[in-house]
Amino acid sequence: MEAKGLEPSNLLTASQALYQLSYAPKWRRATLAVRTSPSESGKGGAGPPQGVNCGTNPPGDPRSRAYPGAMARAYDVGAVETKWQRHWEVEGTYQIDNDDPREKFYALCMYPYPSGAAHQGHVRNYTFGDLAVRYQTMLGKAVLTPFGFDSFGLPAENAAIKTGTHPRTFTEARIVELKSSLTRLGAVYDWRREVRSHDPSYIKWSQFIFLKLWEAGLAYRATAPVNWCPGCQTVLANEQVLPDGTCDRSGDLVYKRDLEQWFFRITAYADELLEALDDLEWPERVKTMQRHWIGRSEGAEFDLLVDGQDGVSLRVFTTRPDTSFGMTYAVVAPEHPLLDLLTTDAQRDAVDELKKRAAASTEIERTSAGDATQLEKRGAFTGSTVHNPFNEQSVPVYVADFVLMGYGTGAIMAVPAEDERDWDFAQLHGLPIVRTVQPPEGWDENGGGAYTGDGAKINSDFLNGLDIATAKAQALDFLERKGIGERKVNFRLRDWLVSRQRFWGCPIPAVYCPTHGVVPVPVEQLPIVAPDDVEFLPTGQSPLASHEGFLNTTCPICGGPARRETDTMDTFVDSSWYFLRFCDPWNDEAPFDPAAARHFMPVDQYIGGIEHAILHLLYARFFTRALIDVGMAPGLGREPFKRYLAQGMIRMDGTKMSKSKGNLIAPEHYYDTVGADGLRLFHLFAGPPFDDMDWSPQTEQVIEGCGRFLDRLWRTLSPTEDQAPAPTRMGEETDADRTLRQATHRTIKAITDDLERWSYNTAVAHCMELLNALQKYARIEGGLHQATWNEAADALLELLAPLAPHVTAELWEQRHPGQPSVHLQRWPTYDPELTRAETVTMVIQVNGKVRDKIEVDPDIAEADAQAAALALPKVVDALAGQEPTRVITRAPRLVNIVL
RNA sequence: GCCCGGAUGGCGGAAUCGGCAGACGCGGCGGCCUCAAAAGCCGUUGUUCGAAAGGACGUGCGAGUUCAAGUCUCGCUCCGGGCACCA
């Protein structure tokens, strides 16, 4: 799973660091300093986390707040966190076996591209994921929590070209870095199940799946114009080209080039992928994005006979067959096979000129809106006319670059009156405009132009007077009755181009034989692994293409000399099935055991960045279906991800925090000050998980505040603290005791609710409130009630355990020596009787304005509530003798007296 | 241009079903402790008028629905993201 814009090296060069230190805002320098010298980040040696809070004290002055909190921390954060991280590793609480009898829960964070040490985006992601793992475990479930690395990809190869390091060496070093910073976060995984895309045992099954899809006709070869990036020396998917026509990694201008490529037939699943979206528990926003991406449109295809060319017809696609009477010209794509035939000698030069320009343009340029006046240059008359079967009239045929061969039939009927682009084009080329829908009154007076809204049909013979929907249906009937056209559904979605002319990817298992053509590599020969002795030069071809040992092979059919496919697969192929491999990663007879997949799938909670909301999720949904349909996963559910949390991104100075922008903030420094627990709490507390978050100077102070909360927790609950409250009182419960008990049970209810609806920020707030209540209770006269205090304290530790796992584990152990860990406790339950309010504040409004509030019984009768309200002196004053016209009573919440 | 989000105190945010706007935290202010500071603790903190009691105003802007709108409807403005003339 690659984030966009990653650069090969994680380390700043000396000059970059110098620049940043000199010119970066003061508060940011410190983190840069920490990042560039992680070895110095030990206790006391770390640079100040921010300049803003340093006050006026000179550096070195012991009074300086340069390292806030660290010297006053209530407990040894580093020692506690290391202790428990080791404990979890040894204990194996979060390793589960496939035959675990407990109810399963599959929690998964998108596996990362190993770009080096973790940054705040990772921290946020894995904090959410780890919370789910620990919470669901406390609910008594067997939680599958695997981790892996999306370890193929361009950055490693670019690094190889630059430095000569083999991509594997480079990648594995990055994996070690990422893993170690994740360990310090205290996120727990079943590392036995780790997978890496570049591992031969994973390559083997990616290739196996490829062969299965090929066998089933879901993988095929076709010549297609592809985006060629001169910088990366590789083909890019349309989706990887930025709107300005440049490569999303290198920034080079991308141009078109015809190549024979491998495709996966995702379009065969277009309808199903669209329809199944409805039932997913995904953010509406993401589902909408996928719907638009698939882009289903219903319409008609029909033939226009070419005048003077016996029997030759031009087939067009339209979503508006009802407007056919308004067709005043037709347009074909520059690549249209009939274009040569349509072009007359007189128009040949103009058409050729246009064809040449279109070939040199990127698709983005051809399809981007731009200035409407440019349309004149972007189209040319072919010299031919075609026959409109609706009104028996002939209209001219134009060629224009904005019509694409890849969508519909590569030819359109143009109806300028009801299409804005057609209108502009008609105006510039002096073509007639005939309205077929009556625009609303005053339309032309208010600027006019194309009218795309609904209205009565006009100038349309048998369709006149109908609305658009009815007219559409009748126009379709007309075409089908006459046998010249049919109803047709078109999709914007295109087949998935999987070939990459790269080295650091999964080799495509195919062989080219002069006699037998393209032949699949026999399964017994898998995996096909790239050789190590390759030269990384930006030659324009994959190093594989020039490696004789790899290139030369024999035909599996005839044994004669043959050539290997040297293209590798798009890394999205690897990420389209890794979640299945996690179910059964040890399997060496199949990618996964169907029974294991049926047991763990679907993923109950999937978490990852919104940047993967379209492509990765769509490809994974397609793959799951394809694997079922080729017989590899009988009985598996067709949707891989039941619930998806689209995590917001972290911004700094208004832009996305990313490596390419050089504005990453490393977590290590915070591990030393507030600890992983403090940093996790901050990420949970900062706002809703799906919202974007701004990293600002204030952020440092909020993180410090989270650390302070944990300090207070420690001082209040640790038996090792001399000042810690010591409950001794037994027996009868006082009012103050009961108040605390209610607070405890209400907090249990609130936090359980919060976690179920992903409202992590309010869950943290509720923990803070309970601690505040505990501290307030600790000051009461007459000593603390033992049972009440212990119940509240233990509940708080349990509720906080998934959020701040280290400190809660330590405090629990101190309070319950020799007993099972807090993480092995069952999630606390509440007594509904105690969560019920004894009194409710009832608001009394006069004309909608709050005039008074009274405490009432929650079960107060409507009549009693009303009577009580009307008797209040403030209400009597406000009424001033007037008789209310209406009294709205919503007992026990509110009474509104309307005059 | 189209599509999808969003806008609430000095700041991050809360308000789950149309019913007390501002939970919790950050920051600020005042105090305690201290030789002093840091840390900690206590209090306070939407704006405004008022000495106070109390009042008025207040969820980007403008309308509307409703007894009642941060929440629903319509029309805007600005910000963020996605998509690119999709026939």
Side-chain angles (χ1 to χ4, degrees):
Chain A
M1 219 77 30
E2 279 168 53
K4 286 185 173 182
L6 291 174
E7 278 167 12
S9 171
N10 184 41
L11 302 169
L12 291 179
T13 65
S15 64
Q16 279 173 319
L18 192 66
Y19 169 85
Q20 305 252 25
L21 286 168
S22 317
Y23 300 105
K26 211 175 171 189
W27 61 270
R28 209 197 294 170
R29 284 181 213 165
T31 51
L32 290 164
V34 168
R35 179 154 43 103
T36 49
S37 53
S39 59
E40 290 172 18
S41 63
K43 224 172 188 182
Q50 75 264 21
V52 284
N53 210 20
C54 287
T56 51
N57 293 320
D61 185 325
R63 276 174 289 174
S64 171
R65 292 184 61 203
Y67 197 7
M71 57 187 86
R73 209 91 285 166
Y75 63 104
D76 188 338
V77 169
V80 166
E81 297 196 344
T82 309
K83 167 185 164 183
W84 287 100
Q85 283 160 16
R86 294 220 175 101
H87 176 86
W88 296 322
E89 197 184 329
V90 173
E91 180 196 44
T93 312
Y94 299 96
Q95 297 179 357
I96 61 155
D97 294 325
N98 286 16
D99 58 1
D100 195 305
R102 292 172 294 177
E103 183 189 346
K104 72 95 185 178
F105 189 92
Y106 191 171
L108 185 64
C109 293
M110 289 180 183
Y111 79 157
Y113 176 78
S115 54
H119 55 72
Q120 298 299 334
H122 292 114
V123 171
R124 200 170 179 214
N125 196 184
Y126 303 126
T127 295
F128 298 152
D130 197 52
L131 192 162
V133 170
R134 293 177 185 273
Y135 171 59
Q136 295 293 336
T137 301
M138 289 178 80
L139 286 177
K141 295 181 190 165
V143 180
L144 180 63
T145 167
F147 204 91
F149 298 92
D150 186 19
S151 48
F152 273 136
L154 213 47
E157 194 161 342
N158 287 341
I161 292 167
K162 220 186 245 172
T163 66
T165 319
H166 192 280
R168 185 187 306 106
T169 315
F170 177 85
T171 301
E172 288 176 357
R174 299 288 83 76
I175 288 176
V176 169
E177 285 174 13
L178 185 48
K179 242 174 140 163
S180 90
S181 50
L182 284 179
T183 306
R184 288 197 65 189
L185 182 63
V188 283
Y189 301 104
D190 186 348
W191 285 105
R192 302 171 307 163
R193 294 177 186 263
E194 177 182 349
V195 306
R196 302 169 175 205
S197 307
H198 77 284
D199 195 291
S201 68
Y202 195 83
I203 291 175
K204 176 176 178 177
W205 299 116
S206 288
Q207 291 171 337
F208 180 85
I209 291 168
F210 184 98
L211 293 175
K212 285 287 190 183
L213 297 184
W214 187 0
E215 194 182 298
L218 289 171
Y220 66 95
R221 283 173 68 74
T223 300
V226 293
N227 304 306
W228 185 258
C229 171
C232 300
Q233 295 291 327
T234 190
V235 174
L236 303 178
N238 282 333
E239 301 81 39
Q240 296 174 305
V241 183
L242 297 175
D244 63 355
T246 58
C247 169
D248 71 351
R249 283 190 225 279
S250 71
D252 287 287
L253 198 63
V254 176
Y255 57 92
K256 289 282 171 192
R257 185 166 160 179
D258 264 347
L259 271 180
E260 183 119 296
Q261 305 283 302
W262 286 97
F263 290 86
F264 284 154
R265 211 178 292 281
I266 189 173
T267 53
Y269 289 84
D271 253 325
E272 194 196 333
L273 289 170
L274 184 68
E275 277 164 26
L277 281 171
D278 295 343
D279 302 324
L280 290 176
E281 291 175 59
W282 286 16
E284 248 347 284
R285 181 164 56 128
V286 174
K287 294 206 263 185
T288 305
M289 280 160 77
Q290 291 222 348
R291 283 190 192 105
H292 288 326
W293 190 265
I294 296 169
R296 184 180 198 274
S297 58
E298 286 180 20
E301 255 185 40
F302 63 99
D303 293 321
L304 305 171
L305 280 171
V306 180
D307 293 319
Q309 302 277 358
D310 230 12
V312 176
S313 62
L314 183 66
R315 197 163 181 86
V316 294
F317 173 71
T318 179
T319 52
R320 291 290 304 273
D322 62 291
T323 63
S324 300
F325 285 96
M327 174 189 354
T328 56
Y329 59 98
V331 189
V332 298
E335 300 86 5
H336 200 283
L338 286 181
L339 182 55
D340 269 348
L341 187 79
L342 291 167
T343 308
T344 58
D345 289 343
Q347 298 299 321
R348 181 102 23 215
D349 285 352
V351 170
D352 284 350
E353 172 67 19
L354 190 121
K355 279 166 73 176
K356 222 161 71 191
R357 243 206 341 268
S361 321
T362 66
E363 184 170 317
I364 303 298
E365 282 163 354
R366 284 179 55 180
T367 57
S368 68
D371 188 352
T373 57
Q374 297 291 308
L375 279 176
E376 189 175 0
K377 296 198 190 97
R378 294 173 52 187
F381 181 42
T382 60
S384 293
T385 58
V386 288
H387 185 80
N388 181 348
F390 282 85
N391 58 11
E392 309 292 349
Q393 285 174 12
S394 285
V395 297
V397 181
Y398 278 71
V399 55
D401 68 352
F402 54 77
V403 175
L404 304 175
M405 203 53 224
Y407 185 82
T409 60
I412 62 165
M413 68 169 198
V415 185
E418 275 97 35
D419 182 287
E420 278 167 33
R421 187 197 54 207
D422 291 352
W423 175 284
D424 292 338
F425 191 86
Q427 293 272 314
L428 291 161
H429 290 265
L431 293 157
I433 296 170
V434 178
R435 290 207 184 275
T436 76
V437 179
Q438 181 63 54
E441 212 151 306
W443 180 259
D444 285 316
E445 289 71 25
N446 289 319
Y451 175 67
T452 54
D454 205 351
K457 300 300 298 183
I458 52 171
N459 301 325
S460 297
D461 195 348
F462 63 93
L463 299 178
N464 281 338
L466 301 174
D467 61 20
I468 291 179
T470 316
K472 255 186 200 174
Q474 299 210 0
L476 286 163
D477 289 345
F478 169 83
L479 289 170
E480 288 180 344
R481 203 166 50 240
K482 289 194 73 174
I484 49 172
E486 61 201 7
R487 287 176 159 79
K488 177 85 185 181
V489 174
N490 247 304
F491 291 95
R492 205 193 79 108
L493 181 71
R494 296 179 208 171
D495 275 338
W496 174 11
L497 172 62
V498 294
S499 302
R500 295 291 181 273
Q501 289 67 43
R502 304 301 305 187
F503 171 81
W504 194 237
C506 179
I508 292 174
V511 165
Y512 297 92
C513 169
T515 338
H516 296 97
V518 196
V519 182
V521 171
V523 171
E524 316 81 71
Q525 289 180 23
L526 300 183
I528 304 299
V529 182
D532 278 354
D533 56 333
V534 285
E535 267 192 287
F536 290 96
L537 297 168
T539 56
Q541 282 192 312
S542 159
L544 290 180
S546 54
H547 190 281
E548 292 298 319
F550 180 79
L551 200 53
N552 297 317
T553 184
T554 52
C555 171
I557 297 173
C558 63
R563 196 171 51 80
R564 264 191 210 291
E565 170 65 88
T566 57
D567 284 357
T568 53
M569 297 180 213
D570 180 4
T571 56
F572 275 121
V573 177
D574 305 314
S575 57
S576 291
W577 72 280
Y578 77 106
F579 45 89
L580 292 165
R581 183 70 181 167
F582 279 144
C583 299
D584 184 28
W586 307 282
N587 199 320
D588 54 9
E589 278 157 23
F592 52 87
D593 171 21
R598 277 198 303 273
H599 174 63
F600 285 119
M601 292 291 287
V603 174
D604 294 280
Q605 181 157 331
Y606 199 36
I607 305 176
I610 188 82
E611 67 268 26
H612 295 299
I614 296 186
L615 291 177
H616 162 61
L617 294 178
L618 196 60
Y619 290 151
R621 294 178 65 220
F622 156 63
F623 243 57
T624 304
R625 289 172 165 78
L627 293 178
I628 295 165
D629 292 347
V630 302
M632 291 175 65
L636 190 67
R638 293 177 82 79
E639 283 294 343
F641 313 123
K642 188 176 157 204
R643 293 178 90 198
Y644 165 53
L645 169 55
Q647 173 200 327
M649 64 183 188
I650 301 177
R651 282 188 308 235
M652 191 189 255
D653 305 331
T655 57
K656 182 179 171 173
M657 192 184 263
S658 74
K659 186 172 273 187
S660 59
K661 297 207 172 75
N663 58 3
L664 295 183
I665 303 287
E668 274 71 16
H669 162 70
Y670 301 101
Y671 294 153
D672 293 333
T673 57
V674 297
D677 284 340
L679 186 59
R680 288 163 66 122
L681 221 45
F682 159 73
H683 277 280
L684 295 169
F685 187 51
F690 6 81
D691 285 3
D692 288 347
M693 179 177 95
D694 283 303
W695 195 275
S696 72
Q698 171 112 78
T699 298
E700 301 290 347
Q701 292 163 338
V702 180
I703 294 173
E704 193 49 42
C706 290
R708 275 204 301 269
F709 165 71
L710 295 177
D711 287 337
R712 277 201 298 134
L713 181 78
W714 182 279
R715 287 194 212 98
T716 311
L717 297 186
S718 173
T720 65
E721 291 283 309
D722 299 338
Q723 307 293 313
T728 49
R729 184 161 50 81
M730 317 279 275
E732 282 291 290
E733 191 184 53
T734 65
D735 282 354
D737 299 342
R738 185 167 170 87
T739 303
L740 181 65
R741 233 151 79 74
Q742 286 175 326
T744 303
H745 286 256
R746 284 170 192 164
T747 304
I748 295 170
K749 180 173 159 56
I751 293 179
T752 308
D753 258 21
D754 289 340
L755 296 190
E756 291 294 335
R757 67 191 176 102
W758 293 342
S759 183
Y760 303 146
N761 52 335
T762 55
V764 175
H766 284 128
C767 288
M768 290 172 168
E769 282 178 298
L770 185 55
L771 180 60
N772 290 346
L774 265 161
Q775 289 193 301
K776 191 179 166 199
Y777 176 79
R779 291 193 297 268
I780 59 165
E781 301 283 324
L784 310 184
H785 192 260
Q786 215 167 49
T788 306
W789 175 268
N790 286 336
E791 182 191 45
D794 285 345
L796 179 55
L797 291 179
E798 286 167 337
L799 294 169
L800 203 48
L803 287 71
H806 308 84
V807 70
T808 49
E810 181 68 19
L811 288 171
W812 185 272
E813 189 186 57
Q814 289 180 2
R815 290 177 49 79
H816 305 280
Q819 298 297 307
S821 162
V822 67
H823 296 291
L824 297 172
Q825 301 302 313
R826 281 307 282 263
W827 188 251
T829 52
Y830 59 88
D831 178 353
E833 199 46 46
L834 286 164
T835 62
R836 236 175 52 89
E838 278 153 3
T839 64
V840 176
T841 307
M842 187 167 77
V843 176
I844 320 304
Q845 298 179 330
V846 175
N847 282 337
K849 292 199 179 212
V850 179
R851 287 296 167 209
D852 208 349
K853 298 170 187 181
I854 50 171
E855 291 298 313
V856 298
D857 187 287
D859 298 321
I860 190 169
E862 299 258 310
D864 295 343
Q866 191 168 325
L870 286 167
L872 289 167
K874 285 180 184 172
V875 172
V876 173
D877 275 2
L879 290 180
Q882 290 183 72
E883 205 49 39
T885 53
R886 208 176 149 187
V887 180
I888 287 112
T889 308
R890 293 283 177 276
R893 298 249 157 251
L894 166 140
V895 175
N896 189 8
I897 299 150
V898 186
L899 291 178

